[in-house]
Amino acid sequence: MSKSTALIFLVTALSYFLFSTPPPKPHHYHTLFLSSSFSDNASIASNLRALTRLPHIAGSAANAEAAAYVLSVFTSSSLKSHLVSYQVSLTYPVHRSLVLTTTPKDSANPTTTTFALEQEHVGDNPHADEVTPTFHGYAKSGNVSGPAAYANYGRVEDFAAGGNFSGAVAVARYGKIYRGDIVRNAYEAGAVGVVIYTDKRDYGGEECFPESRWMPPSGVQVGTVYNGLGDPTTPGWASVNGCERLSEEDVELSGDAPGIPSLPISAADAEVILKTVGPGPGPGPGILNLSYVGRSVIAEIENVIGVIEGEEEPDRYVILGNHRDAWTFGAVDPNSGTAVLLEIAQRLDKLQKRGWKPRRTIILCNWDAEEYALIGSTEWVEENREMLASRAVAYLNVDCAVSGPGFRVSATPQLDDLIKQAAKEVQDPDNTTQTVYESWIGSSNSDEIGRLGGGGSDYASFVQHVGVPAVDMLFGGGYPVYHSMYDDFTWMEKFGDPMFQRHVAIASVLGLVALRLADDEFLPFNYTSYASELKKSAEDLEKEKLGHGIDLSPLIKSIQDLYTAAQEINIEKEEGVKGALRVREVNDRLMMAERALTDRDGLSERPWYKHLVYGPSKYDDYGSKSFPGVDDAIDNAKRVNTKASWEHVQHEVWRVSRAIRHASLVLRGELR
């Protein structure tokens, strides 16, 4: 090479290093993700309209069509996409009848009322006739008769309020606890059947849909009454083709299947029945005959999975999920969440076209058969349990994404700070002068974050079975047409989110949380928030003044140790760790600390639930409990009041104390 050629080469190389534009940093792409040019409320509305055109219960052709739609959007958004199928047990109604017999005081001749058990067609939905008849998923088949007995909200305390339910058909209303627990509580109180109604005091108004957002008098909230998670015939393992299965008899004996028949009914039908009962708990003179026959089938369900592989850490997974199946049209539950998931997929595609590549792998999951028992997500988690336990960074869930105004979020506590930071970056959809965070704290004077101990959506398997940090967020909350045929696109367009800007906002907050988890060098987890939350829960236990020699000091000490370990790892991150392997090691400690809060034996009498800090209440699957094993033991000890039962309470205190100590050791990354 001549001297002149070498000089030219040297000048060219220096010019490249001195004047070339460095690649944008992740924050640049995160700002782009939130920009108005990237969001598209019209596309969200179009996707939601397509997804809710037909009622699409799990196992139906319409739901398979919806899966194909999601797959096509994922694929067109540059995600490596595929379907994951499972063969699962689902039930559908074959026969339903409900007859009320009364004998007027001035007559010896009884009168009968046969209820139509139909929701009135209102509005202009051309596919209303295709909605599955009202029923409870996994309801027990049977023909029973007994006096109608009012049970208020169907809680344990409602059945214990003085009425005699032995041999009765309980009449309970929705609104406080999970319907499967209502059926179980009725069974344990001696009832032979249950009808559950939508009380217009809770769900009705002066005007009803389609003129207003309220449930019509004939509206019925359907849903499942199974008390477990996943396919009932494959408890703890995936329902792949040709797998081992429990028989129907074994499922009935499992304790999670309902022990008596049940039906959901409307406010209008309940009003007729309640006139024969009287104001207090217990039976009246009216006799109800409830007849239900269900059909159990092994049906194929389909999860849709889309992947953006991480460039630096492809074996670390940030997972976003929403379910697709609906009892009817599902405009709020769940397809507002599906529309949000598709919006995130489309924005991530735009980022990729601008040169963005995530540090860690992002996986988008659209689950099937959630409504029956969180089946699609549970089977996938059970099949991939070991991979998820070693590789999953976090799971971000969106279900009923939008039903009205007001931001709400639940999460495992190490994500609290990240969620608040993301909410501060997004404009509030209902007040453009404020951020989502400002509106959030302004509406309640608090940025309170709920917890994920309940079994209400697809985060349950990730948190409660494997120990994966998770979040679930939405705008709105409970809404009057929940699980009825009126939860359709018209309701959303008129009352839930007319401009679809709330959908845009939830996609922005959830998507930004995902991007931070995928791109930040250090995982944005803060376990001091976790320790502070556990301290509050322990203080609540102390306030109960349990007596019987119960010592909470092991629990208090373990929480103090966790706080110290959390502070230490925060200092490590702030001071800076040099080298990719050291960064990876710190992140692994942050990721695995949540796993340490699980126990291989699970909760007593509920071994599938492995998490000792967050799990569902034994008497309300929707209810979130801190230290569920301790709470279950206390409930039992108060009931039987034996020395052994109180010793079991102390044992459960020790168990959760050990789990929290294990989390501290993981955060420190040191062997003892």
Side-chain angles (χ1 to χ4, degrees), residues 293-409:
V293 177
R295 174 174 61 97
S296 179
V297 302
I298 299 296
E300 182 171 80
I301 63 169
E302 296 175 320
N303 294 335
V304 188
I305 310 294
V307 180
I308 303 173
E309 189 168 297
E311 187 172 40
E312 296 178 48
E313 298 182 72
D315 60 341
R316 292 294 177 263
Y317 305 150
V318 176
I319 306 169
L320 296 87
N322 150 270
H323 78 95
R324 178 186 68 258
D325 65 297
W327 289 116
T328 63
F329 296 98
V332 174
D333 183 9
N335 299 130
S336 62
T338 315
V340 165
L341 192 70
L342 297 183
E343 164 75 359
I344 291 172
Q346 291 168 328
R347 289 200 214 177
L348 294 180
D349 182 33
K350 294 174 184 176
L351 283 186
Q352 289 186 86
K353 288 180 168 64
R354 299 286 186 95
W356 166 79
K357 295 177 181 177
R359 179 188 181 99
R360 303 177 186 92
T361 294
I362 296 176
I363 304 174
L364 273 62
C365 304
N366 184 232
W367 311 117
D368 203 348
E370 186 268 2
E371 295 292 3
Y372 275 87
L374 314 185
I375 294 178
S377 59
T378 300
E379 301 310 309
W380 192 78
V381 168
E382 289 175 345
E383 184 171 30
N384 297 289
R385 182 188 298 115
E386 304 311 320
M387 289 274 282
L388 294 171
S390 62
R391 298 185 175 193
V393 170
Y395 173 70
L396 315 181
N397 191 65
V398 60
D399 190 338
C400 303
V402 179
S403 60
F407 180 71
R408 299 186 184 189
V409 61

Side-chain angles (χ1 to χ4, degrees), residues 178-227:
Y178 169 58
R179 70 188 72 78
D181 290 308
I182 295 175
V183 176
R184 180 173 59 188
N185 293 343
Y187 171 72
E188 292 179 353
V192 296
V194 195
V195 293
I196 310 177
Y197 70 96
T198 304
D199 194 330
K200 63 182 180 183
R201 289 175 291 178
D202 296 320
Y203 298 90
E206 291 297 321
E207 285 190 312
C208 57
F209 182 75
E211 281 72 35
S212 79
R213 66 192 297 268
W214 298 105
M215 177 84 95
S218 68
V220 177
Q221 181 194 135
V222 301
T224 187
V225 289
Y226 182 63
N227 281 304

Side-chain angles (χ1 to χ4, degrees), residues 150 152 171-174 195-199 201 265-267 270 274:
Y150 179 63
N152 198 19
V171 183
R173 54 179 171 149
Y174 287 111
V195 293
I196 310 177
Y197 70 96
T198 304
D199 194 330
R201 289 175 291 178
I265 63 172
S266 68
L274 291 174

Side-chain angles (χ1 to χ4, degrees), residues 42-58:
S43 175
I44 291 172
S46 176
N47 285 332
L48 185 62
R49 186 186 293 275
L51 289 162
T52 59
R53 186 178 67 87
L54 298 171
H56 47 288
I57 193 170

